[in-house]
């Protein structure tokens, strides 16, 4: 009689942990994992930046890369206001014709 009560109590404890484990899995697959993939893509983009690319910085400044300095990881960007020097990590995305093309209507 005591053994069945103990077994029921142990399985009840395990079943009460199931919703928490499910929430952690949902958070991982819908929030953490996509963010990690986005960061990997951004780091790969920042590593292959080249002169002449039109880019947007993380602060929203649009410009064209005029110089890439690999020794101190900086880039010089020409904007409407003149030339500015940024860290390579401040470049957030490329602004190319592919991204600016209007959507094709069918």
């Amino acid at each position: 009689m005591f053994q069945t009560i103990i077994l029921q109590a142990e399985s009840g404890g395990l079943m009460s942990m199931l919703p928490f484990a499910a929430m952690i899995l949902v958070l991982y697959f819908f929030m953490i994992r996509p963010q990690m993939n986005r960061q990997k893509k951004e780091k790969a983009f920042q590593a292959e930046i080249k002169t002449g690319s039109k880019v947007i910085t993380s602060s929203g400044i649009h410009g064209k890369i005029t110089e890439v300095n690999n020794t101190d990881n900086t880039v010089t960007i020409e904007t409407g206001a003149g030339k500015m020097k940024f860290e390579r990590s401040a470049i957030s995305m490329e602004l190319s014709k592919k991204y600016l093309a209007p959507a094709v209507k069918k």
Side-chain angles (χ1 to χ4, degrees):
M1 183 168 148
F2 291 116
Q3 289 176 347
T4 57
I5 294 172
I6 292 172
L7 288 175
Q8 288 174 350
E10 287 177 1
S11 65
L14 183 62
M15 292 302 286
S16 67
M17 295 296 283
L18 192 60
F20 294 115
M23 284 192 315
I24 291 172
L25 283 173
V26 167
L27 283 174
Y28 176 75
F29 282 109
F30 287 107
M31 295 179 73
I32 298 170
R33 190 165 179 242
Q35 179 65 25
M36 288 171 41
N37 288 338
R38 206 171 303 123
Q39 286 175 344
K40 283 181 187 177
K41 286 179 184 177
E42 191 169 314
K43 283 199 182 282
F45 165 71
Q46 289 170 355
E48 59 188 37
I49 290 175
K50 59 184 180 279
T51 304
S53 299
K54 292 183 178 180
V55 295
I56 302 174
T57 65
S58 57
S59 59
I61 298 174
H62 294 231
K64 183 177 179 181
I65 295 178
T66 58
E67 181 184 343
V68 178
N69 190 347
N70 290 325
T71 58
D72 60 353
N73 284 330
T74 59
V75 294
T76 304
I77 298 177
E78 184 177 357
T79 64
K83 292 186 177 184
M84 294 185 223
K85 196 172 193 177
F86 286 94
E87 288 291 320
R88 196 179 275 241
S89 61
I91 308 299
S92 80
M93 64 186 287
E94 183 176 11
L95 185 64
S96 65
K97 294 176 186 175
K98 174 174 67 172
Y99 297 113
L100 294 176
V104 178
K105 294 182 181 179
K106 292 184 180 182

